[in-house]
Amino acid sequence: MHVAVGPVSSASALAFIGYARDVIERGAPANQLPADVAAAFTSYLDEWEGLARTGRDFTWETTVAVEVAEYLVHAFYRLAQRLEEAARARGPAAPPEGRSFYRMLVDGLLDGMAGEGASAAEFAEHLRSFWPGDGLR
């Protein structure tokens, strides 16, 4: 599956990356991730941070196995749901500067899935219609 994110400002990417690292590191019960998911997310954050620090604009592309992408996208979706529920109770914690990157990331992931056949496209469109993070999207 091909995933493309950007171009988006590096400042937006860095704001989101900092927030995402904090979420993963805090690991509060509602935010806990399976170890393999946390490791994969951290690896992507490391890669994105390196790219974002090289210039004003951020652009990233990758190819990943559909099964792996679906697994990680589902985990990302569930985490975003839990974070949105927590934000309703205490207010948003995510930085508004990260909104553009978040939007591009979600759209890039779901667009990539949509291009992988009927089953993956149906899953992507279902997630798109309910994806949490209105405060960020």
Side-chain angles (χ1 to χ4, degrees), residues 8-124:
V8 64
S9 82
S10 290
S12 182
L14 290 169
F16 177 83
I17 291 163
Y19 169 71
R21 284 190 191 284
D22 184 52
V23 167
I24 292 168
E25 290 169 9
R26 268 195 333 252
N31 301 344
Q32 286 182 341
L33 297 168
D36 62 332
V37 171
F41 285 0
T42 299
S43 176
Y44 285 121
L45 294 172
D46 291 344
E47 183 178 351
W48 297 340
E49 185 172 14
L51 287 171
R53 293 200 181 280
T54 64
R56 293 179 53 165
D57 291 324
F58 175 96
T59 301
W60 176 75
E61 293 187 40
T62 195
T63 302
V64 62
V66 175
E67 299 80 17
V68 172
E70 287 178 350
Y71 176 66
L72 294 176
V73 166
H74 186 256
F76 183 29
Y77 172 79
R78 290 184 40 104
L79 178 60
Q81 279 182 312
R82 291 191 301 267
L83 292 170
E84 184 173 63
E85 289 168 8
R88 282 190 211 120
R90 68 176 185 279
E97 302 82 16
R99 181 176 296 142
S100 296
F101 180 81
Y102 179 77
R103 181 182 310 117
M104 288 235 171
L105 175 60
V106 170
D107 288 344
L109 291 168
L110 297 179
D111 290 349
M113 288 180 67
E116 291 298 320
S119 176
E122 185 177 323
F123 182 53

